[in-house]
């Protein structure tokens, strides 16, 4: 892996928090645009339509990633259709910047105002909050959370996904929605969400949280998305294996 070219100063930029996801201005593989910043995506991916217009014809390529004043050369970039992830965004996204790029940094995320900071490990500013163990599953960072439907409580590892446009998803091997008229609409390519009475994360309790389903993927119980995470300020200290969570200001 090529070492990152660290910037001389702070690498912090304004972002946008829209439709449940964070987007940042960036250039990936020479394509400049707005990119979903998703800690929960294992791979950095170019939108297939925009990539094809730029002359890319394969399912993957190698190119530079430039974001927040940092340039990371010669990264493997996937190319895929992203309609499911981008259909409800006011501005079409050019792709997704995933954990394969972000894990080189200490990543600070604030939702209001929306700011993203990328710091070299050991050069990050002070950040105080509740410390959670940060694990990995299938290339995605995970932390412990629990959900309760009033009958059963499930505690487990959840993907922490700043770019997931549903507040929460549960793997369908541990959760179901009995009586749903169109259960397939509860999955990522659908348009429905159910409600969960209680979600617990980082010492906080959320009530009546919108939630969908996902196919089992790795060993996680589910995934936490932007509308849950927006209640906090987050520091992903990947090198130290910890997620620091503070209340939103």
């Amino acid at each position: 892996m090529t070492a990152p070219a660290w910037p001389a100063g702070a690498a912090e930029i304004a972002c946008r928090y829209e439709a449940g996801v964070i987007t940042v201005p960036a250039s990936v593989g020479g394509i400049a645009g707005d990119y979903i910043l998703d800690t929960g995506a294992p791979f950095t991916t170019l939108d297939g339509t925009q990539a094809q217009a730029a002359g890319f014809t394969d399912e993957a390529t190698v190119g530079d990633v430039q974001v927040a004043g940092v340039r990371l050369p010669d990264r493997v970039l996937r190319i895929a259709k992203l309609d499911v992830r981008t259909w409800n965004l006011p501005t079409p996204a050019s792709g997704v910047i995933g954990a394969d790029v972000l894990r080189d940094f200490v990543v600070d995320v604030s939702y209001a105002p929306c700011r993203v900071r990328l710091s070299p490990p050991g050069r990050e500013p002070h950040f105080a909050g509740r410390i959670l163990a940060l694990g990995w599953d299938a290339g995605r960072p995970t932390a412990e959370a629990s959900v309760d439907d009033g009958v059963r409580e499930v505690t487990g590892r959840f993907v922490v996904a700043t770019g997931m446009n549903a507040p929460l998803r549960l793997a369908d091997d541990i959760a179901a929605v009995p009586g749903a008229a169109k259960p397939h609409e509860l999955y990522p390519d659908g348009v429905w969400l159910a409600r969960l009475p209680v979600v617990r994360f980082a010492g906080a309790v959320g009530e009546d949280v919108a939630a969908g389903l996902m196919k089992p993927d790795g060993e996680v119980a589910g995934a936490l998305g932007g509308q849950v995470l927006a209640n906090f300020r987050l520091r992903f200290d990947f090198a130290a294996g910890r997620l620091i969570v503070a209340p939103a200001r």
Side-chain angles (χ1 to χ4, degrees):
M1 179 181 295
T2 304
W6 301 120
E12 181 175 301
I13 56 172
C15 53
R16 288 206 303 268
Y17 174 52
E18 301 173 311
V21 306
I22 283 180
T23 60
V24 295
S27 175
V28 178
I31 300 176
D34 292 327
Y35 284 79
I36 297 171
L37 187 96
D38 191 5
T39 51
F43 307 110
T44 295
T45 304
L46 287 168
D47 174 69
T49 300
Q50 295 194 39
Q52 186 176 21
F56 295 102
T57 58
D58 296 327
E59 295 182 352
T61 188
V62 174
D64 297 352
V65 176
Q66 298 182 66
V67 58
V70 177
R71 174 178 172 270
L72 297 144
D74 301 328
R75 292 300 175 117
V76 175
L77 310 172
R78 296 200 171 190
I79 298 172
K81 291 184 177 181
L82 298 175
D83 295 348
V84 169
R85 306 203 58 174
T86 63
W87 67 269
N88 62 338
L89 292 176
T91 302
S94 298
V96 176
I97 296 176
D100 54 341
V101 165
L102 298 173
R103 68 187 300 166
D104 287 334
F105 304 91
V106 176
V107 180
D108 294 341
V109 176
S110 172
Y111 287 82
C114 192
R115 304 287 296 180
V116 170
R117 180 187 178 101
L118 306 183
S119 301
R123 290 168 53 186
E124 66 274 11
H126 177 71
F127 189 105
R130 187 184 184 101
I131 299 176
L132 306 180
L134 189 65
W136 289 93
D137 187 276
R140 306 158 301 174
T142 67
E144 185 174 286
S146 67
V147 298
D148 190 333
D149 65 1
V151 176
R152 181 172 67 117
E153 181 176 355
V154 174
T155 298
R157 305 296 296 182
F158 284 71
V159 177
V160 186
T162 56
M164 187 176 77
N165 59 10
L168 182 141
R169 291 196 180 278
L170 290 171
D172 66 10
D173 59 344
I174 64 170
V177 184
K182 298 180 180 180
H184 63 277
E185 292 289 353
L186 292 163
Y187 290 85
D189 56 353
V191 296
W192 288 0
L193 293 172
R195 313 295 300 190
L196 264 174
V198 177
V199 176
R200 297 181 178 89
F201 173 65
V205 179
E207 298 180 346
D208 192 30
V209 177
L213 296 174
M214 56 187 271
K215 293 297 183 182
D217 186 8
E219 301 298 322
V220 297
L224 303 173
Q227 293 172 35
V228 169
L229 302 177
N231 294 290
F232 308 95
R233 291 178 293 119
L234 306 168
R235 167 166 286 178
F236 295 85
D237 190 346
F238 294 116
R242 61 184 188 172
L243 176 67
I244 307 177
V245 182
R249 290 171 178 166

